[in-house]
Amino acid sequence: MPSAPSAPKNGPVSALYLIRHGQPSSGWGSADADPGLDPEGEAQAEAASRRLLELPIDVRPIRVASSPLRRCLETAAPLADALGVRVEIVPEVGEIPTPAALGHDQRGPWLRTALAGRWDGIAGDLDYEAWRRTVLAAVEARPGAAVFTHFVAINAVVSALAGAPEVIGFRPGYASITSLESAAEGLRLVALGSEAATRVF
């Protein structure tokens, strides 16, 4: 079960959760640019929803936000349905943008290199330090939410909160739940979610 936020220190504290999408029907960089979940991923989505609904009511999510990509929307759906809320689509927590000049077959090697390095060293036509701050701001603006997102976006938040320059701080597995708390002094990491059994790349 995900860890719940601590008791308030200087004012109210809101729980917030980052959930990586479930297992997709095809991998990153495949011909299908926006795959949905495979049957295992659907089961993972249901399991994540149950874990979040089992939390004490004062730290249970009250809103659901998601990347616009199908694998995240489909992972978010069971929780949104159980809570009776609409999924808020948040483009800022989508996949890491790839350089426009890259061909389809170049995306995988580019990502492998990016994941092995630092935010300020990612090659491309985008300021990836600024992208990381955008992801963090989008999450911070949604206290009380379960935010369904991606491997790199979760690392963007975790590394920003830790002040770490490396792109990858940990390897969240499919439907992994990372717990945060939002208070007047800002966002704080409570507990990392479960890690992937195998390397993403």
PDB file of all heavy atoms in Angstrom, residues 75-113:
ATOM      1  N   THR A  75      -5.253   3.605 -17.452  1.00  0.00           N
ATOM      2  CA  THR A  75      -4.851   3.259 -16.082  1.00  0.00           C
ATOM      3  C   THR A  75      -5.637   4.089 -15.078  1.00  0.00           C
ATOM      4  O   THR A  75      -5.975   3.614 -13.982  1.00  0.00           O
ATOM      5  CB  THR A  75      -3.337   3.472 -15.893  1.00  0.00           C
ATOM      6  OG1 THR A  75      -2.617   2.817 -16.938  1.00  0.00           O
ATOM      7  CG2 THR A  75      -2.866   2.917 -14.553  1.00  0.00           C
ATOM      8  N   ALA A  76      -5.943   5.322 -15.433  1.00  0.00           N
ATOM      9  CA  ALA A  76      -6.686   6.214 -14.536  1.00  0.00           C
ATOM     10  C   ALA A  76      -8.165   5.855 -14.438  1.00  0.00           C
ATOM     11  O   ALA A  76      -8.816   6.159 -13.430  1.00  0.00           O
ATOM     12  CB  ALA A  76      -6.552   7.655 -15.026  1.00  0.00           C
ATOM     13  N   ALA A  77      -8.716   5.233 -15.471  1.00  0.00           N
ATOM     14  CA  ALA A  77     -10.165   5.037 -15.562  1.00  0.00           C
ATOM     15  C   ALA A  77     -10.784   4.294 -14.383  1.00  0.00           C
ATOM     16  O   ALA A  77     -11.827   4.728 -13.865  1.00  0.00           O
ATOM     17  CB  ALA A  77     -10.512   4.341 -16.875  1.00  0.00           C
ATOM     18  N   PRO A  78     -10.205   3.177 -13.877  1.00  0.00           N
ATOM     19  CA  PRO A  78     -10.862   2.490 -12.762  1.00  0.00           C
ATOM     20  C   PRO A  78     -11.001   3.355 -11.512  1.00  0.00           C
ATOM     21  O   PRO A  78     -12.044   3.316 -10.843  1.00  0.00           O
ATOM     22  CB  PRO A  78      -9.947   1.285 -12.502  1.00  0.00           C
ATOM     23  CG  PRO A  78      -9.267   1.035 -13.801  1.00  0.00           C
ATOM     24  CD  PRO A  78      -9.063   2.395 -14.391  1.00  0.00           C
ATOM     25  N   LEU A  79      -9.976   4.148 -11.193  1.00  0.00           N
ATOM     26  CA  LEU A  79     -10.063   5.012 -10.015  1.00  0.00           C
ATOM     27  C   LEU A  79     -11.078   6.121 -10.237  1.00  0.00           C
ATOM     28  O   LEU A  79     -11.895   6.406  -9.346  1.00  0.00           O
ATOM     29  CB  LEU A  79      -8.696   5.608  -9.680  1.00  0.00           C
ATOM     30  CG  LEU A  79      -8.687   6.539  -8.467  1.00  0.00           C
ATOM     31  CD1 LEU A  79      -9.069   5.797  -7.192  1.00  0.00           C
ATOM     32  CD2 LEU A  79      -7.319   7.205  -8.305  1.00  0.00           C
ATOM     33  N   ALA A  80     -11.053   6.748 -11.398  1.00  0.00           N
ATOM     34  CA  ALA A  80     -12.010   7.811 -11.686  1.00  0.00           C
ATOM     35  C   ALA A  80     -13.443   7.297 -11.615  1.00  0.00           C
ATOM     36  O   ALA A  80     -14.325   7.948 -11.045  1.00  0.00           O
ATOM     37  CB  ALA A  80     -11.727   8.423 -13.054  1.00  0.00           C
ATOM     38  N   ASP A  81     -13.667   6.104 -12.158  1.00  0.00           N
ATOM     39  CA  ASP A  81     -15.008   5.517 -12.119  1.00  0.00           C
ATOM     40  C   ASP A  81     -15.434   5.250 -10.680  1.00  0.00           C
ATOM     41  O   ASP A  81     -16.580   5.527 -10.301  1.00  0.00           O
ATOM     42  CB  ASP A  81     -15.041   4.212 -12.919  1.00  0.00           C
ATOM     43  CG  ASP A  81     -14.924   4.440 -14.425  1.00  0.00           C
ATOM     44  OD1 ASP A  81     -15.079   5.596 -14.861  1.00  0.00           O
ATOM     45  OD2 ASP A  81     -14.677   3.455 -15.143  1.00  0.00           O
ATOM     46  N   ALA A  82     -14.524   4.713  -9.869  1.00  0.00           N
ATOM     47  CA  ALA A  82     -14.854   4.397  -8.470  1.00  0.00           C
ATOM     48  C   ALA A  82     -15.142   5.655  -7.664  1.00  0.00           C
ATOM     49  O   ALA A  82     -16.016   5.658  -6.786  1.00  0.00           O
ATOM     50  CB  ALA A  82     -13.721   3.611  -7.829  1.00  0.00           C
ATOM     51  N   LEU A  83     -14.412   6.737  -7.958  1.00  0.00           N
ATOM     52  CA  LEU A  83     -14.622   7.997  -7.232  1.00  0.00           C
ATOM     53  C   LEU A  83     -15.776   8.808  -7.811  1.00  0.00           C
ATOM     54  O   LEU A  83     -16.236   9.763  -7.180  1.00  0.00           O
ATOM     55  CB  LEU A  83     -13.346   8.839  -7.273  1.00  0.00           C
ATOM     56  CG  LEU A  83     -12.123   8.302  -6.517  1.00  0.00           C
ATOM     57  CD1 LEU A  83     -10.915   9.199  -6.760  1.00  0.00           C
ATOM     58  CD2 LEU A  83     -12.418   8.196  -5.018  1.00  0.00           C
ATOM     59  N   GLY A  84     -16.217   8.464  -9.008  1.00  0.00           N
ATOM     60  CA  GLY A  84     -17.283   9.220  -9.652  1.00  0.00           C
ATOM     61  C   GLY A  84     -16.841  10.594 -10.107  1.00  0.00           C
ATOM     62  O   GLY A  84     -17.617  11.551 -10.053  1.00  0.00           O
ATOM     63  N   VAL A  85     -15.564  10.683 -10.566  1.00  0.00           N
ATOM     64  CA  VAL A  85     -15.034  11.980 -11.010  1.00  0.00           C
ATOM     65  C   VAL A  85     -14.568  11.877 -12.453  1.00  0.00           C
ATOM     66  O   VAL A  85     -14.322  10.791 -12.979  1.00  0.00           O
ATOM     67  CB  VAL A  85     -13.864  12.449 -10.111  1.00  0.00           C
ATOM     68  CG1 VAL A  85     -14.331  12.626  -8.672  1.00  0.00           C
ATOM     69  CG2 VAL A  85     -12.678  11.487 -10.184  1.00  0.00           C
ATOM     70  N   ARG A  86     -14.436  13.021 -13.073  1.00  0.00           N
ATOM     71  CA  ARG A  86     -13.916  13.115 -14.433  1.00  0.00           C
ATOM     72  C   ARG A  86     -12.397  13.103 -14.385  1.00  0.00           C
ATOM     73  O   ARG A  86     -11.785  13.661 -13.468  1.00  0.00           O
ATOM     74  CB  ARG A  86     -14.415  14.425 -15.056  1.00  0.00           C
ATOM     75  CG  ARG A  86     -13.907  14.720 -16.450  1.00  0.00           C
ATOM     76  CD  ARG A  86     -14.413  16.077 -16.919  1.00  0.00           C
ATOM     77  NE  ARG A  86     -13.939  17.153 -16.064  1.00  0.00           N
ATOM     78  CZ  ARG A  86     -12.771  17.765 -16.212  1.00  0.00           C
ATOM     79  NH1 ARG A  86     -11.936  17.399 -17.162  1.00  0.00           N
ATOM     80  NH2 ARG A  86     -12.432  18.746 -15.394  1.00  0.00           N
ATOM     81  N   VAL A  87     -11.776  12.467 -15.357  1.00  0.00           N
ATOM     82  CA  VAL A  87     -10.315  12.506 -15.471  1.00  0.00           C
ATOM     83  C   VAL A  87      -9.911  13.849 -16.070  1.00  0.00           C
ATOM     84  O   VAL A  87     -10.364  14.216 -17.161  1.00  0.00           O
ATOM     85  CB  VAL A  87      -9.780  11.357 -16.342  1.00  0.00           C
ATOM     86  CG1 VAL A  87      -8.264  11.473 -16.496  1.00  0.00           C
ATOM     87  CG2 VAL A  87     -10.148  10.004 -15.751  1.00  0.00           C
ATOM     88  N   GLU A  88      -9.083  14.592 -15.361  1.00  0.00           N
ATOM     89  CA  GLU A  88      -8.557  15.860 -15.860  1.00  0.00           C
ATOM     90  C   GLU A  88      -7.331  15.563 -16.719  1.00  0.00           C
ATOM     91  O   GLU A  88      -6.364  14.979 -16.241  1.00  0.00           O
ATOM     92  CB  GLU A  88      -8.155  16.766 -14.696  1.00  0.00           C
ATOM     93  CG  GLU A  88      -7.551  18.084 -15.129  1.00  0.00           C
ATOM     94  CD  GLU A  88      -6.975  18.899 -13.982  1.00  0.00           C
ATOM     95  OE1 GLU A  88      -7.015  18.434 -12.830  1.00  0.00           O
ATOM     96  OE2 GLU A  88      -6.476  19.994 -14.262  1.00  0.00           O
ATOM     97  N   ILE A  89      -7.373  15.940 -17.959  1.00  0.00           N
ATOM     98  CA  ILE A  89      -6.251  15.690 -18.861  1.00  0.00           C
ATOM     99  C   ILE A  89      -5.231  16.820 -18.721  1.00  0.00           C
ATOM    100  O   ILE A  89      -5.566  17.998 -18.857  1.00  0.00           O
ATOM    101  CB  ILE A  89      -6.732  15.560 -20.313  1.00  0.00           C
ATOM    102  CG1 ILE A  89      -7.662  14.347 -20.434  1.00  0.00           C
ATOM    103  CG2 ILE A  89      -5.550  15.428 -21.267  1.00  0.00           C
ATOM    104  CD1 ILE A  89      -8.289  14.174 -21.786  1.00  0.00           C
ATOM    105  N   VAL A  90      -3.982  16.427 -18.430  1.00  0.00           N
ATOM    106  CA  VAL A  90      -2.912  17.396 -18.155  1.00  0.00           C
ATOM    107  C   VAL A  90      -1.745  17.118 -19.110  1.00  0.00           C
ATOM    108  O   VAL A  90      -0.917  16.247 -18.850  1.00  0.00           O
ATOM    109  CB  VAL A  90      -2.441  17.287 -16.688  1.00  0.00           C
ATOM    110  CG1 VAL A  90      -1.394  18.360 -16.379  1.00  0.00           C
ATOM    111  CG2 VAL A  90      -3.613  17.391 -15.720  1.00  0.00           C
ATOM    112  N   PRO A  91      -1.665  17.840 -20.220  1.00  0.00           N
ATOM    113  CA  PRO A  91      -0.588  17.588 -21.181  1.00  0.00           C
ATOM    114  C   PRO A  91       0.812  17.721 -20.577  1.00  0.00           C
ATOM    115  O   PRO A  91       1.748  17.057 -21.031  1.00  0.00           O
ATOM    116  CB  PRO A  91      -0.826  18.652 -22.263  1.00  0.00           C
ATOM    117  CG  PRO A  91      -2.287  18.980 -22.153  1.00  0.00           C
ATOM    118  CD  PRO A  91      -2.609  18.870 -20.691  1.00  0.00           C
ATOM    119  N   GLU A  92       0.955  18.560 -19.563  1.00  0.00           N
ATOM    120  CA  GLU A  92       2.275  18.799 -18.972  1.00  0.00           C
ATOM    121  C   GLU A  92       2.886  17.558 -18.325  1.00  0.00           C
ATOM    122  O   GLU A  92       4.099  17.515 -18.096  1.00  0.00           O
ATOM    123  CB  GLU A  92       2.195  19.922 -17.927  1.00  0.00           C
ATOM    124  CG  GLU A  92       1.895  21.285 -18.499  1.00  0.00           C
ATOM    125  CD  GLU A  92       0.403  21.555 -18.676  1.00  0.00           C
ATOM    126  OE1 GLU A  92      -0.425  20.632 -18.458  1.00  0.00           O
ATOM    127  OE2 GLU A  92       0.047  22.694 -19.036  1.00  0.00           O
ATOM    128  N   VAL A  93       2.067  16.548 -17.995  1.00  0.00           N
ATOM    129  CA  VAL A  93       2.622  15.335 -17.383  1.00  0.00           C
ATOM    130  C   VAL A  93       2.697  14.198 -18.406  1.00  0.00           C
ATOM    131  O   VAL A  93       2.733  13.020 -18.057  1.00  0.00           O
ATOM    132  CB  VAL A  93       1.847  14.901 -16.117  1.00  0.00           C
ATOM    133  CG1 VAL A  93       1.876  16.008 -15.075  1.00  0.00           C
ATOM    134  CG2 VAL A  93       0.404  14.484 -16.438  1.00  0.00           C
ATOM    135  N   GLY A  94       2.722  14.558 -19.688  1.00  0.00           N
ATOM    136  CA  GLY A  94       2.858  13.570 -20.748  1.00  0.00           C
ATOM    137  C   GLY A  94       4.289  13.073 -20.885  1.00  0.00           C
ATOM    138  O   GLY A  94       5.164  13.367 -20.055  1.00  0.00           O
ATOM    139  N   GLU A  95       4.543  12.317 -21.949  1.00  0.00           N
ATOM    140  CA  GLU A  95       5.879  11.785 -22.196  1.00  0.00           C
ATOM    141  C   GLU A  95       6.890  12.900 -22.435  1.00  0.00           C
ATOM    142  O   GLU A  95       6.533  13.998 -22.883  1.00  0.00           O
ATOM    143  CB  GLU A  95       5.851  10.871 -23.425  1.00  0.00           C
ATOM    144  CG  GLU A  95       5.534   9.435 -23.125  1.00  0.00           C
ATOM    145  CD  GLU A  95       6.667   8.684 -22.430  1.00  0.00           C
ATOM    146  OE1 GLU A  95       7.627   9.314 -21.932  1.00  0.00           O
ATOM    147  OE2 GLU A  95       6.582   7.452 -22.373  1.00  0.00           O
ATOM    148  N   ILE A  96       8.147  12.598 -22.127  1.00  0.00           N
ATOM    149  CA  ILE A  96       9.221  13.549 -22.417  1.00  0.00           C
ATOM    150  C   ILE A  96       9.225  13.847 -23.920  1.00  0.00           C
ATOM    151  O   ILE A  96       9.189  12.920 -24.741  1.00  0.00           O
ATOM    152  CB  ILE A  96      10.588  13.005 -21.938  1.00  0.00           C
ATOM    153  CG1 ILE A  96      11.691  14.053 -22.177  1.00  0.00           C
ATOM    154  CG2 ILE A  96      10.914  11.658 -22.564  1.00  0.00           C
ATOM    155  CD1 ILE A  96      13.016  13.681 -21.539  1.00  0.00           C
ATOM    156  N   PRO A  97       9.228  15.120 -24.305  1.00  0.00           N
ATOM    157  CA  PRO A  97       9.218  15.448 -25.739  1.00  0.00           C
ATOM    158  C   PRO A  97      10.533  15.054 -26.410  1.00  0.00           C
ATOM    159  O   PRO A  97      11.612  15.262 -25.853  1.00  0.00           O
ATOM    160  CB  PRO A  97       9.036  16.971 -25.749  1.00  0.00           C
ATOM    161  CG  PRO A  97       8.567  17.331 -24.381  1.00  0.00           C
ATOM    162  CD  PRO A  97       9.140  16.308 -23.461  1.00  0.00           C
ATOM    163  N   THR A  98      10.444  14.475 -27.571  1.00  0.00           N
ATOM    164  CA  THR A  98      11.648  14.131 -28.324  1.00  0.00           C
ATOM    165  C   THR A  98      11.943  15.227 -29.342  1.00  0.00           C
ATOM    166  O   THR A  98      11.039  15.925 -29.793  1.00  0.00           O
ATOM    167  CB  THR A  98      11.481  12.787 -29.049  1.00  0.00           C
ATOM    168  OG1 THR A  98      10.318  12.845 -29.874  1.00  0.00           O
ATOM    169  CG2 THR A  98      11.326  11.649 -28.065  1.00  0.00           C
ATOM    170  N   PRO A  99      13.218  15.406 -29.674  1.00  0.00           N
ATOM    171  CA  PRO A  99      13.563  16.438 -30.663  1.00  0.00           C
ATOM    172  C   PRO A  99      12.814  16.239 -31.979  1.00  0.00           C
ATOM    173  O   PRO A  99      12.672  15.115 -32.471  1.00  0.00           O
ATOM    174  CB  PRO A  99      15.078  16.245 -30.843  1.00  0.00           C
ATOM    175  CG  PRO A  99      15.534  15.633 -29.556  1.00  0.00           C
ATOM    176  CD  PRO A  99      14.408  14.740 -29.122  1.00  0.00           C
ATOM    177  N   ALA A 100      12.332  17.326 -32.530  1.00  0.00           N
ATOM    178  CA  ALA A 100      11.507  17.269 -33.738  1.00  0.00           C
ATOM    179  C   ALA A 100      12.246  16.661 -34.920  1.00  0.00           C
ATOM    180  O   ALA A 100      11.637  16.043 -35.796  1.00  0.00           O
ATOM    181  CB  ALA A 100      11.025  18.680 -34.091  1.00  0.00           C
ATOM    182  N   ALA A 101      13.560  16.821 -34.957  1.00  0.00           N
ATOM    183  CA  ALA A 101      14.334  16.361 -36.110  1.00  0.00           C
ATOM    184  C   ALA A 101      14.563  14.852 -36.118  1.00  0.00           C
ATOM    185  O   ALA A 101      15.006  14.302 -37.129  1.00  0.00           O
ATOM    186  CB  ALA A 101      15.687  17.073 -36.139  1.00  0.00           C
ATOM    187  N   LEU A 102      14.276  14.165 -35.024  1.00  0.00           N
ATOM    188  CA  LEU A 102      14.563  12.737 -34.947  1.00  0.00           C
ATOM    189  C   LEU A 102      13.561  11.921 -35.747  1.00  0.00           C
ATOM    190  O   LEU A 102      12.351  12.140 -35.673  1.00  0.00           O
ATOM    191  CB  LEU A 102      14.535  12.254 -33.495  1.00  0.00           C
ATOM    192  CG  LEU A 102      15.649  12.723 -32.574  1.00  0.00           C
ATOM    193  CD1 LEU A 102      15.522  12.049 -31.222  1.00  0.00           C
ATOM    194  CD2 LEU A 102      17.023  12.447 -33.170  1.00  0.00           C
ATOM    195  N   GLY A 103      14.061  10.961 -36.486  1.00  0.00           N
ATOM    196  CA  GLY A 103      13.199  10.004 -37.159  1.00  0.00           C
ATOM    197  C   GLY A 103      12.693   8.975 -36.164  1.00  0.00           C
ATOM    198  O   GLY A 103      13.221   8.851 -35.049  1.00  0.00           O
ATOM    199  N   HIS A 104      11.708   8.202 -36.581  1.00  0.00           N
ATOM    200  CA  HIS A 104      11.100   7.207 -35.697  1.00  0.00           C
ATOM    201  C   HIS A 104      12.122   6.233 -35.127  1.00  0.00           C
ATOM    202  O   HIS A 104      12.114   5.921 -33.935  1.00  0.00           O
ATOM    203  CB  HIS A 104      10.012   6.444 -36.463  1.00  0.00           C
ATOM    204  CG  HIS A 104       9.356   5.375 -35.663  1.00  0.00           C
ATOM    205  ND1 HIS A 104       8.445   5.646 -34.671  1.00  0.00           N
ATOM    206  CD2 HIS A 104       9.503   4.022 -35.686  1.00  0.00           C
ATOM    207  CE1 HIS A 104       8.047   4.511 -34.119  1.00  0.00           C
ATOM    208  NE2 HIS A 104       8.674   3.515 -34.713  1.00  0.00           N
ATOM    209  N   ASP A 105      13.058   5.779 -35.962  1.00  0.00           N
ATOM    210  CA  ASP A 105      14.039   4.791 -35.523  1.00  0.00           C
ATOM    211  C   ASP A 105      15.146   5.391 -34.669  1.00  0.00           C
ATOM    212  O   ASP A 105      15.972   4.659 -34.112  1.00  0.00           O
ATOM    213  CB  ASP A 105      14.649   4.073 -36.734  1.00  0.00           C
ATOM    214  CG  ASP A 105      15.346   5.030 -37.696  1.00  0.00           C
ATOM    215  OD1 ASP A 105      15.080   6.247 -37.635  1.00  0.00           O
ATOM    216  OD2 ASP A 105      16.155   4.552 -38.512  1.00  0.00           O
ATOM    217  N   GLN A 106      15.178   6.712 -34.533  1.00  0.00           N
ATOM    218  CA  GLN A 106      16.208   7.370 -33.727  1.00  0.00           C
ATOM    219  C   GLN A 106      15.727   7.685 -32.309  1.00  0.00           C
ATOM    220  O   GLN A 106      16.532   8.062 -31.457  1.00  0.00           O
ATOM    221  CB  GLN A 106      16.644   8.676 -34.405  1.00  0.00           C
ATOM    222  CG  GLN A 106      17.285   8.476 -35.771  1.00  0.00           C
ATOM    223  CD  GLN A 106      17.518   9.799 -36.473  1.00  0.00           C
ATOM    224  OE1 GLN A 106      16.599  10.601 -36.665  1.00  0.00           O
ATOM    225  NE2 GLN A 106      18.762  10.049 -36.850  1.00  0.00           N
ATOM    226  N   ARG A 107      14.437   7.521 -32.038  1.00  0.00           N
ATOM    227  CA  ARG A 107      13.888   7.912 -30.740  1.00  0.00           C
ATOM    228  C   ARG A 107      14.410   7.032 -29.602  1.00  0.00           C
ATOM    229  O   ARG A 107      14.735   7.515 -28.527  1.00  0.00           O
ATOM    230  CB  ARG A 107      12.361   7.873 -30.775  1.00  0.00           C
ATOM    231  CG  ARG A 107      11.753   8.865 -31.746  1.00  0.00           C
ATOM    232  CD  ARG A 107      10.232   8.766 -31.775  1.00  0.00           C
ATOM    233  NE  ARG A 107       9.661   9.316 -30.574  1.00  0.00           N
ATOM    234  CZ  ARG A 107       8.704   8.719 -29.855  1.00  0.00           C
ATOM    235  NH1 ARG A 107       8.245   7.534 -30.208  1.00  0.00           N
ATOM    236  NH2 ARG A 107       8.230   9.294 -28.778  1.00  0.00           N
ATOM    237  N   GLY A 108      14.483   5.731 -29.848  1.00  0.00           N
ATOM    238  CA  GLY A 108      14.965   4.820 -28.806  1.00  0.00           C
ATOM    239  C   GLY A 108      16.393   5.105 -28.389  1.00  0.00           C
ATOM    240  O   GLY A 108      16.668   5.271 -27.186  1.00  0.00           O
ATOM    241  N   PRO A 109      17.338   5.179 -29.328  1.00  0.00           N
ATOM    242  CA  PRO A 109      18.714   5.520 -28.942  1.00  0.00           C
ATOM    243  C   PRO A 109      18.827   6.875 -28.245  1.00  0.00           C
ATOM    244  O   PRO A 109      19.605   7.027 -27.298  1.00  0.00           O
ATOM    245  CB  PRO A 109      19.460   5.526 -30.290  1.00  0.00           C
ATOM    246  CG  PRO A 109      18.669   4.595 -31.151  1.00  0.00           C
ATOM    247  CD  PRO A 109      17.240   4.784 -30.745  1.00  0.00           C
ATOM    248  N   TRP A 110      18.050   7.864 -28.712  1.00  0.00           N
ATOM    249  CA  TRP A 110      18.069   9.180 -28.052  1.00  0.00           C
ATOM    250  C   TRP A 110      17.625   9.053 -26.602  1.00  0.00           C
ATOM    251  O   TRP A 110      18.255   9.612 -25.692  1.00  0.00           O
ATOM    252  CB  TRP A 110      17.161  10.156 -28.811  1.00  0.00           C
ATOM    253  CG  TRP A 110      16.995  11.465 -28.091  1.00  0.00           C
ATOM    254  CD1 TRP A 110      17.821  12.547 -28.160  1.00  0.00           C
ATOM    255  CD2 TRP A 110      15.948  11.819 -27.185  1.00  0.00           C
ATOM    256  NE1 TRP A 110      17.362  13.563 -27.333  1.00  0.00           N
ATOM    257  CE2 TRP A 110      16.204  13.134 -26.730  1.00  0.00           C
ATOM    258  CE3 TRP A 110      14.813  11.157 -26.710  1.00  0.00           C
ATOM    259  CZ2 TRP A 110      15.373  13.793 -25.820  1.00  0.00           C
ATOM    260  CZ3 TRP A 110      13.990  11.807 -25.807  1.00  0.00           C
ATOM    261  CH2 TRP A 110      14.271  13.113 -25.370  1.00  0.00           C
ATOM    262  N   LEU A 111      16.546   8.319 -26.366  1.00  0.00           N
ATOM    263  CA  LEU A 111      16.036   8.182 -25.003  1.00  0.00           C
ATOM    264  C   LEU A 111      17.016   7.427 -24.118  1.00  0.00           C
ATOM    265  O   LEU A 111      17.225   7.802 -22.960  1.00  0.00           O
ATOM    266  CB  LEU A 111      14.677   7.494 -24.997  1.00  0.00           C
ATOM    267  CG  LEU A 111      14.009   7.389 -23.620  1.00  0.00           C
ATOM    268  CD1 LEU A 111      13.756   8.768 -23.024  1.00  0.00           C
ATOM    269  CD2 LEU A 111      12.722   6.601 -23.704  1.00  0.00           C
ATOM    270  N   ARG A 112      17.637   6.375 -24.626  1.00  0.00           N
ATOM    271  CA  ARG A 112      18.613   5.632 -23.838  1.00  0.00           C
ATOM    272  C   ARG A 112      19.741   6.541 -23.371  1.00  0.00           C
ATOM    273  O   ARG A 112      20.169   6.495 -22.220  1.00  0.00           O
ATOM    274  CB  ARG A 112      19.180   4.458 -24.648  1.00  0.00           C
ATOM    275  CG  ARG A 112      18.248   3.269 -24.705  1.00  0.00           C
ATOM    276  CD  ARG A 112      18.959   2.050 -25.265  1.00  0.00           C
ATOM    277  NE  ARG A 112      19.271   2.185 -26.684  1.00  0.00           N
ATOM    278  CZ  ARG A 112      18.428   1.860 -27.652  1.00  0.00           C
ATOM    279  NH1 ARG A 112      17.214   1.410 -27.370  1.00  0.00           N
ATOM    280  NH2 ARG A 112      18.782   1.994 -28.909  1.00  0.00           N
ATOM    281  N   THR A 113      20.213   7.386 -24.277  1.00  0.00           N
ATOM    282  CA  THR A 113      21.281   8.325 -23.924  1.00  0.00           C
ATOM    283  C   THR A 113      20.787   9.345 -22.898  1.00  0.00           C
ATOM    284  O   THR A 113      21.488   9.661 -21.924  1.00  0.00           O
ATOM    285  CB  THR A 113      21.790   9.051 -25.185  1.00  0.00           C
ATOM    286  OG1 THR A 113      22.290   8.082 -26.109  1.00  0.00           O
ATOM    287  CG2 THR A 113      22.894  10.033 -24.855  1.00  0.00           C
TER     288      THR A 113
END
